[in-house]
Amino acid sequence: MSATLPVAPGAAAQLPPAGDTRSLAGLRAGRAAHIMGRTAPWLVRGVMGLAVLIFAVLAVGPHLLGYRTMTMLTASMAPEIDPGDVTIVTPIAISEVTEGMVITYHKPIEDHSLVTHRVVSVETAADGTVTVQTKGDANEAIDPWTATLEGDTAYEVRAVIPELGHLIQALRAPVVTQVLLYGAPTLLVGWVLMTIWRPARTDETDEEEQS
């Protein structure tokens, strides 16, 4: 003897036919949306945190802590300092400059541009004038000049931030500048909205689980 269960009208239409890929595609889309929903807030926070950190190092720190940042343009100090690396230099009294230090100073020839090289010799005159000879670690010869350190202070390299100079150069590109000009506020607004809406989504999920 067999029994027939009552079926509500339209109930069969709610079940996808065998082999229908629509349910599988929907499941995958739902998983992708779920992963994106969890990843996006952390991604936004990471980008915002990195931006704040770079701004603090390059703009705030020099005013509060007294250091300066320089971008290495050549490979003369490789591999310790590669092109595109950013060096953090701090002032020291010129009387404290010793052999082996890596310092940044204006070279006394041509355009008097800044150079960051290692000190190989130091001489102090009777009047207190300090002159140095320097050499790039990657160069075979000593720099072809003797530099007189002017003023009361010199700048010693204290730390190196790899590749940051490339990022700074990229951010100065006109296209990137426009993207940041309009994208950064949008990113910030999106982060704020996600922070506000996230508790609401959590409450809704809890209610669904309890029901």
Side-chain angles (χ1 to χ4, degrees), residues 80-101:
E80 182 175 339
I81 310 174
D82 292 318
D85 292 351
V86 169
T87 60
I88 295 179
V89 300
T90 58
I92 60 172
I94 59 173
S95 60
E96 297 178 4
V97 174
T98 59
E99 294 181 12
M101 283 184 175

Side-chain angles (χ1 to χ4, degrees), residues 38-57:
R38 287 183 173 273
T39 304
W42 292 104
L43 181 61
V44 172
R45 290 169 186 167
V47 172
M48 293 297 297
L50 180 60
V52 170
L53 179 61
I54 293 175
F55 177 77
V57 170

Side-chain angles (χ1 to χ4, degrees), residues 31-115:
R31 288 179 178 175
H34 179 71
I35 294 173
M36 182 61 68
R38 287 183 173 273
T39 304
W42 292 104
L43 181 61
V44 172
R45 290 169 186 167
V47 172
M48 293 297 297
L50 180 60
V52 170
L53 179 61
I54 293 175
F55 177 77
V57 170
L58 299 179
V60 179
H63 294 285
L64 296 180
L65 303 178
Y67 65 81
R68 295 186 182 182
T69 58
M70 312 279 182
T71 300
M72 194 69 178
L73 302 179
T74 70
S76 63
M77 285 297 294
E80 182 175 339
I81 310 174
D82 292 318
D85 292 351
V86 169
T87 60
I88 295 179
V89 300
T90 58
I92 60 172
I94 59 173
S95 60
E96 297 178 4
V97 174
T98 59
E99 294 181 12
M101 283 184 175
V102 178
I103 64 172
T104 298
Y105 65 97
H106 290 277
K107 61 183 181 181
I109 62 173
E110 299 173 354
D111 59 354
H112 300 278
S113 59
L114 287 171
V115 61

Side-chain angles (χ1 to χ4, degrees), residues 96-171:
E96 297 178 4
V97 174
T98 59
E99 294 181 12
M101 283 184 175
V102 178
I103 64 172
T104 298
Y105 65 97
H106 290 277
K107 61 183 181 181
I109 62 173
E110 299 173 354
D111 59 354
H112 300 278
S113 59
L114 287 171
V115 61
T116 298
H117 280 176
R118 192 177 303 278
V119 177
V120 295
S121 69
V122 182
E123 293 185 4
T124 303
D127 61 355
T129 302
V130 177
T131 58
V132 297
Q133 283 189 304
T134 57
K135 175 183 176 296
D137 289 353
N139 296 341
E140 296 182 357
I142 296 174
D143 295 329
W145 62 75
T146 299
T148 300
L149 300 181
E150 299 179 354
D152 298 325
T153 58
Y155 285 88
E156 181 184 5
V157 175
R158 298 291 188 176
V160 179
I161 306 177
E163 304 295 336
L164 182 58
H166 293 306
L167 177 60
I168 296 173
Q169 185 177 5
L171 292 177

